[in-house]
Amino acid sequence: MSDQEMIGEAVARTVRTLRGRHGWSLDELAARAGVSKGVLVGLEQGRGNPNLSTLIRIADALGVSLTQLVQVRDEPLVRLFPPDRHVVLWRGQDGGTGTLLAGSDPRPSLELWDWILRPGELRESEAHIPGTKELIHVREGTLSLNVDGHTDTLEAGTAAVFVGDRPHAYGNETAADVRFTLAVLDP
């Protein structure tokens, strides 16, 4: 495969992915970028050979750099995060932990966490960037979840989705450990 064909495939993949993330139709992206729908169809099918100004307009409309739009990646389909790559980023006063298991990049990013809260421990979090969502699943114990001043009690087996762009906290008000899995989606 020639360099031009590899770049064409990379652009096609990137435009399809970013357009999908925005929830835009081909018509909407065409209007925002000031290009014809036909140009976009050809581009997304890897058939187009757009000029530099067209690529710049599409990159601007999608909110990415031209470099990101045309970058040919040798990124594997699956990235593994074995246990020796897990990172404990929070330690509670009584031995609880917040361990980052895996994460994607660049934005939008998704993080997967494993948490243990010992009795009486509290993890307070400032508001994340606007649009952040968090998903939580309590595997063991009873978690006290406070989001923007509202507290919910989550028993083992319970899952919840909440906005992470407001102050929030995870707490253990019981005499037993709480174990939960957390996913954070930053837009």
Side-chain angles (χ1 to χ4, degrees):
M1 182 181 293
S2 73
D3 286 348
Q4 190 65 30
E5 289 170 324
M6 288 174 43
I7 292 170
E9 282 189 17
V11 170
R13 182 177 54 250
T14 303
V15 170
R16 277 192 313 268
T17 299
L18 293 174
R19 184 174 63 79
R21 286 181 186 161
H22 285 292
W24 295 343
S25 66
L26 284 165
D27 289 323
E28 187 166 354
L29 177 56
R32 288 174 181 265
V35 301
S36 74
K37 181 179 176 180
V39 166
L40 287 177
V41 168
L43 190 72
E44 285 195 7
Q45 293 176 350
R47 293 184 287 111
N49 188 16
N51 62 36
L52 181 57
S53 65
T54 298
L55 289 174
I56 291 170
R57 288 197 307 268
I58 292 169
D60 287 346
L62 291 168
V64 298
S65 68
L66 179 61
T67 303
Q68 185 177 346
L69 188 66
V70 301
Q71 186 176 27
V72 177
R73 297 184 180 144
D74 263 348
E75 190 171 308
L77 294 176
V78 177
R79 286 177 49 201
L80 300 178
F81 294 86
D84 65 341
R85 291 207 42 214
H86 300 173
V87 181
V88 176
L89 293 175
W90 178 84
R91 293 191 186 277
Q93 73 272 9
D94 293 320
T97 55
T99 305
L100 180 62
L101 302 175
S104 66
D105 53 81
R107 289 196 192 291
S109 65
L110 179 63
E111 299 169 350
L112 182 63
W113 292 79
D114 180 53
W115 284 85
I116 301 171
L117 293 180
R118 303 285 186 220
E121 287 186 328
L122 177 68
R123 165 58 171 124
E124 294 179 305
S125 179
E126 295 178 6
H128 302 297
I129 64 172
T132 300
K133 300 285 187 203
E134 297 195 20
L135 294 89
I136 196 165
H137 176 255
V138 180
R139 298 187 324 267
E140 186 180 305
T142 302
L143 178 71
S144 176
L145 174 64
N146 183 295
V147 179
D148 204 19
H150 174 81
T151 302
D152 286 291
T153 302
L154 285 67
E155 302 289 335
T158 303
V161 178
F162 61 95
V163 293
D165 58 6
R166 298 183 187 161
H168 52 283
Y170 322 105
N172 181 356
E173 299 172 359
T174 70
D177 287 353
V178 175
R179 297 177 185 273
F180 62 97
T181 302
L182 177 72
V184 180
L185 177 63
D186 285 332

